[in-house]
């Protein structure tokens, strides 16, 4: 039983990180602290980049484990966290676009020029990510398949978590887009005309509320590059924000992470958002795109921009992996495949062997 | 006498709050921490969601208890806190709307286009809530009847606090709206014409300074849904921000709560504010609405939007309760009715019994 | 010699506050910590509302006291701090107004509509106050004569500090306005015409860069009320932000104070800034006004708005005192005249006696 | 061999950083803290102003030192940090200008008026600097040759680091400008016309994306003064933000530094950005200028504004040194040349002697 293994294995290396955290009360009674609580303390510090988020807490497991719903929750705790994290992310993000777009130029608004400008879109996505991290802490708060993937690759997050997280993240985006549609359906009718639903470059297009569409002047290569570079910056900076060995990061790193992420996402929106709408996240783009297709926006949601839709699905993976490698190669000093012999290329040459090795280690640590 | 019980317990909380601060200076006398200090520790960390905020501090009770005003203050400490908290909230919020609306397009402003745009409205409400929490910490800083209600329901806040808090919150909003009117009366006269007071959809309406009015294109169901979904997000995220067992929340949770709340309110304003003005709070909407009625805005403050006024009174309760249940059902692992047997439904089936049980526990703890 | 007294007097009551600060390492070796370091630690926590800011630090006093400049600095340390604090405050604040006003509608700006809007003015003043607090910590960072005054009245700041701080604050504003003029003189010439300097309501007025001018529709009473209410909110909220006994304030209160102040000033600018320009500070308004008079803006700097200039000099004092009394009467539980017998009115009835009593205490503590 | 000295000292810093964190777990073994750990404590707290950032960490040096790339990284760790720090800085900063400028007035944007206004430019640069500090912590995060220079002069940063840092910072800006060009090349073509590249005051100029150009009304002296005063404020405030002996600075100073810097840079952009574009940094201006020249913007990148290009290269050095001296002379109480005999002028009179003395001390401490 994996929970057992979590709580009974001897204190692993992360204990020491725990000890000098904010907590501090530990010095005299470290020996009374169980290893499981140590493990959980560690998680709090390494939010979002932790190789293995905790699966259960003691009081949860012991006290309520006999209730049916508690069992379900225990089994699905992490997918639930990712689902609601991405849902909040997309609710705020898509909500911001909807509000700004649908109230364009409305003179009865305070100020006489609509309920927000592009700046509010940057605010919305940045707040969504920040609050999503607060909500999804139990799963590690990845909220983005490309970030989950890069953490599997470079930070030893077990690969078998990837498909589950992926599904939860995708569904979170899908559901959130549906809620936004339900909330703004009257405004969309008032803006486009009753029942009319169009996709850019239609002048009254509202499909941009849900997912991203590229500027008309963009070439396919430029679209890809734009998403790639934004994703690279995203992963590079997140790795920096989570890197305890980087002197630039605050001592109470975990506390500052959501705020740092707010500024990062705001910056990407304000500085790299014009060309392709900074999707940088399959869950944030594909889920809502599918929902908008289901809601009647037509086949153009796929064909617009020369079948642009696959770029925000693929480019974030490439960009995040590249950004992660860049960080590990030039800044990171902790354990990364790039800091091992052959610069990690051994894994590429003998992938089977690398996977076996990793699985062996993970099984030994009881975290798969 | 409840105050007695609070003040005569051995450990007084001022000392203990110090000891278990970030410091960790506690190690040597952890065993001397009484359960009362435990309760109070909870208070500082769980700002805004605490089942029972402290009612008195020792130096207050002992040194000045003979003074008439000190006695009044001791008795009314929590209502005072809620009153001033909501007052600051509405002063900033309504003030922002007033400034932006009344200076619309003014060319003599720096920048030549009025003293702020819709963005400033988001700032105003978010700052108001943030500062209101700083001010109303002694009562738990609920500042919203729907949030008080949900905490009574799911976080064991004693029900008998609800009516007192409700009244204080309502009066805080009422008084603040009066101050805003007094402050901006000249500007309103200049904007509408001397003595003219109109309600949307009048093109020069200023009633929107005080309370919310829906967009013309909204149906009744959509209005309700818009307030409902915003309230759901509000409560869901506040529960997350206060949840120490959620790994996403900072270790120094209480310190970060007001800032997190700033972003949450800003986000709701920027992403869900266009349709119904994101009242999400009876005290913020009904109090000022009544004041604007008293100040001569006429019967339209009630009839506008098809007697919309009841929606921001009712929907926040529904939304907050739903958001709280959602959080407890899917994310929360602490003690909640939803984590007990029957998923808390036992309380619904036997309400009398549940209330008795709760009162019994509270009386034992001396906090009613 | 007062410095001596600081360092040799036995540990005063503030030690305990020090002990449970972030520091925490203290429990075992408190006895080895000298009282002077305790006093200084206390200061850090109570930034801005401390009854007596520290005058010297040990290494400063002992190591460099023989140098001429070091002696000057030691004697003038606090005025220097207030001077530079207010200077930074006004540099950012007036700078923001200058940039936004002088670049109005400039199409060559990025975005094509000038270098900022009114929102940037709120940012500028809020950042100025925040950074001013960081700079002027050694004097308590009052930065505003009305706030100094209220602290003398209600928080036992020695009255004899008031005139020195007042002068330093006034000069800081004066000098900063001169620097802003020097920096923007070309832009002013380009905007108004070479050598032309006008005051509102002139359509090309630039005097508003330096100090505040009221809206044309305002009556004298409304102007006063507008400054009064904004100052009341300022002081009320600052007292809350500094109140360690308020559960709403973070445990690491001092760390959060500058950020909280940023939001407070931003909020006042965004919500109460349109009518009189939210001077709320004699040093910020009168100093620059005098400078603009000296620079040739003519007699209108005084006569504009019906000799409005005295209102931002007087109203902030009334408002801040009222706000302080309000906080102490309804929320504060610490030592305040309002929590003593007669609700502090004894001091009003027998002022001479009260002053003598206070001086006696201060002399005993060696802090005058 | 300096690395040897670092890595073989008894106390390794990872452990000690933990011990003296917020935790306060230290009480029992304070006496075991070696002087080396003291130095490193300084590093984490004094981010950005530290005389000698750590060069290696033990696990890095011992475990991977045999790998070729690890050796390169160890040798170039600090230049890499400065390179990527400045790169992120310029990516966000130039990216913000590009997005706002190239989408000017675009009606298909949400809100109908482009993807951001000047405000977004302030956001971009402020976020860039903030995230750059997070990334470049291993080198001290100077990110600006003028700041490096002032730290060499007044904070004992070894002079021999200056040229290496200078080169890394310059290259970081150069490369980032190239990436921005690659990302926005389609948009530039759409904005200016295919292959057309112009420099202000051309109405469709896009050279302003990369580096700064002055307003047409500026005289040469005013340009210099504008950059000078902004740089003075920059250095003065950074010294304040890093000054642990300043009571205004938070106890957890290092944690708050990046956020404080965000507000500082935002403020400079919003208050002193209109006249010369607030370059205040050779690396941010000269690097991208050279890149834009290489990319075909023509000789005007140098000749524009009357060969203005040298001002953002020289003025920041003058301003930063002046700002540093100002702070040390009036506020700082720590060790500074200005707090020594002769007010530090001895060093000017006998520079050779001063350099020798400094080198001698540094050699003794093993940090050159």
């Amino acid at each position: 039983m994996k929970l057992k293994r979590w709580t009974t294995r001897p204190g692993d290396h992360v204990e020491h990180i725990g000890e000098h955290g904010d907590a501090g009360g530990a010095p005299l009674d470290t020996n009374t602290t169980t290893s499981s609580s140590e493990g959980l303390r560690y998680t709090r510090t390494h939010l979002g980049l932790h190789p293995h988020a905790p699966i259960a807490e003691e009081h949860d497991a012991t006290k309520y484990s006999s209730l049916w719903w508690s069992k379900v929750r225990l089994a699905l705790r992490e997918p639930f966290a990712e689902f609601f994290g991405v849902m909040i992310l997309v609710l705020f993000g898509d909500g911001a676009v909807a509000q700004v777009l649908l109230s364009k130029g409305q003179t009865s608004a305070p100020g006489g020029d609509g309920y927000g400008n592009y700046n509010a879109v940057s605010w919305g996505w940045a707040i969504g990510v920040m609050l999503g991290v607060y909500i999804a802490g139990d799963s590690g708060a990845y909220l983005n398949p490309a970030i989950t993937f890069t953490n599997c690759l470079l930070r030893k997050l077990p690969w078998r978590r990837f498909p589950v997280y992926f599904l939860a993240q995708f569904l979170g985006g899908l559901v959130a887009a549906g809620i936004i549609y339900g909330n703004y359906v009257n405004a969309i009718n008032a803006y486009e005309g009753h029942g009319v639903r169009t996709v850019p470059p239609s002048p009254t297009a509202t499909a941009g509320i849900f997912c991203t569409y590229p500027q008309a002047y963009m070439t396919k290569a430029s679209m890809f590059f734009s998403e790639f570079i934004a994703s690279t910056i995203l992963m590079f900076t997140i790795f920096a924000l989570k890197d305890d060995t980087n002197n630039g990061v605050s001592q109470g790193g975990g506390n500052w992470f959501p705020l740092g992420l707010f500024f990062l996402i705001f910056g990407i929106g304000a500085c790299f958002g014009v060309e392709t709408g900074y999707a940088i996240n399959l869950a944030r783009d594909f889920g809502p795109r599918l929902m908008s297709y289901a809601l009647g926006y037509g086949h153009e949601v796929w064909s617009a921009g020369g079948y642009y839709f696959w770029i925000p699905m693929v480019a974030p993976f490439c960009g995040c992996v590249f950004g992660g490698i860049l960080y590990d190669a030039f800044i990171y000093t902790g354990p990364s495949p790039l800091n091992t012999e052959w610069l990690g290329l051994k894994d590429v040459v003998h992938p089977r062997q690398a996977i076996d090795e990793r699985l062996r280690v993970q099984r030994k640590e009881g975290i798969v």
Side-chain angles (χ1 to χ4, degrees), chain A residues 55-246:
Chain A
I55 294 165
E57 292 183 13
E58 225 157 326
H59 68 87
D60 191 10
T62 57
K63 198 163 168 191
Y64 303 119
S65 57
S66 61
L67 302 171
W68 169 76
W69 180 242
S70 294
K71 283 179 189 163
V72 173
R73 283 194 50 187
L74 210 57
L76 297 179
R77 190 180 179 193
E78 295 171 297
F80 279 164
E82 290 290 321
F83 173 83
F84 282 103
V86 173
M87 198 174 89
I88 283 286
L89 192 172
V90 176
L91 279 175
F92 279 100
D94 279 2
V97 182
Q99 172 162 332
V100 171
L101 192 147
L102 298 172
S103 72
K104 180 162 79 179
Q106 190 179 322
T107 53
S108 63
D113 189 24
Y115 284 79
N117 50 23
Y118 180 77
N119 221 19
V121 174
S122 301
W123 276 96
W125 285 107
I127 290 172
V129 173
M130 183 194 195
L131 297 180
V133 167
Y134 276 125
I135 286 162
D138 288 342
S139 63
Y142 300 96
L143 307 181
N144 184 337
I147 292 179
T148 323
F149 185 85
T150 312
N151 277 286
C152 290
L153 200 65
L154 299 174
R155 291 291 183 276
K156 294 186 183 161
L157 183 74
W159 280 104
R160 66 169 62 180
R161 293 207 178 177
F162 180 73
V164 181
Y165 278 30
F166 183 96
L167 192 67
Q169 291 159 350
F170 163 74
L171 288 174
L174 189 82
V175 171
I179 295 170
I180 288 293
Y181 184 82
N183 190 43
Y184 281 108
V185 63
N186 284 305
I188 292 172
N189 281 336
Y191 185 85
E192 288 225 61
H194 200 277
V196 181
R197 301 286 180 274
T198 60
V199 170
S202 150
T204 62
T206 56
I209 292 171
F210 303 101
C211 53
T212 62
Y213 293 93
Q215 296 279 355
Y217 54 69
M218 297 291 285
T219 65
K220 215 42 138 320
S222 275
M223 294 173 196
F224 190 91
F225 185 71
S226 183
E227 285 293 315
F228 176 84
I229 193 73
S231 304
T232 302
I233 293 171
L234 177 73
M235 196 72 249
F236 185 83
T237 309
I238 286 181
F239 270 3
L241 289 173
K242 306 298 307 174
D243 182 0
D244 269 0
T245 65
N246 187 328

Side-chain angles (χ1 to χ4, degrees), chain A residues 204-345:
Chain A
T204 62
T206 56
I209 292 171
F210 303 101
C211 53
T212 62
Y213 293 93
Q215 296 279 355
Y217 54 69
M218 297 291 285
T219 65
K220 215 42 138 320
S222 275
M223 294 173 196
F224 190 91
F225 185 71
S226 183
E227 285 293 315
F228 176 84
I229 193 73
S231 304
T232 302
I233 293 171
L234 177 73
M235 196 72 249
F236 185 83
T237 309
I238 286 181
F239 270 3
L241 289 173
K242 306 298 307 174
D243 182 0
D244 269 0
T245 65
N246 187 328
N247 290 309
V249 172
S250 329
Q251 289 172 331
N255 292 349
W256 288 86
F257 180 66
L259 186 62
L261 208 50
F262 168 84
F263 286 106
L264 173 58
I265 302 297
F266 195 109
I268 291 177
C271 309
F272 299 94
V274 63
E275 295 185 325
T276 55
Y278 71 118
I280 58 174
N281 186 347
L282 183 147
R284 166 262 178 282
D285 198 74
F286 179 64
R289 192 179 299 272
L290 195 63
M291 179 55 78
S292 68
Y293 178 67
L295 290 168
Y297 278 88
H299 184 256
E300 285 88 349
V301 305
W302 309 110
S303 63
Y307 290 90
Y308 154 84
F309 79 95
W310 65 268
I311 287 177
M313 300 177 73
V314 175
F317 284 91
C318 305
C320 282
V321 169
F322 182 67
I325 289 176
L326 213 59
Y327 189 79
D328 281 8
F330 290 98
I331 311 275
Y332 194 52
T333 58
S336 159
L338 273 85
N339 289 336
T340 57
E341 295 173 47
W342 292 84
L343 308 176
L345 292 177

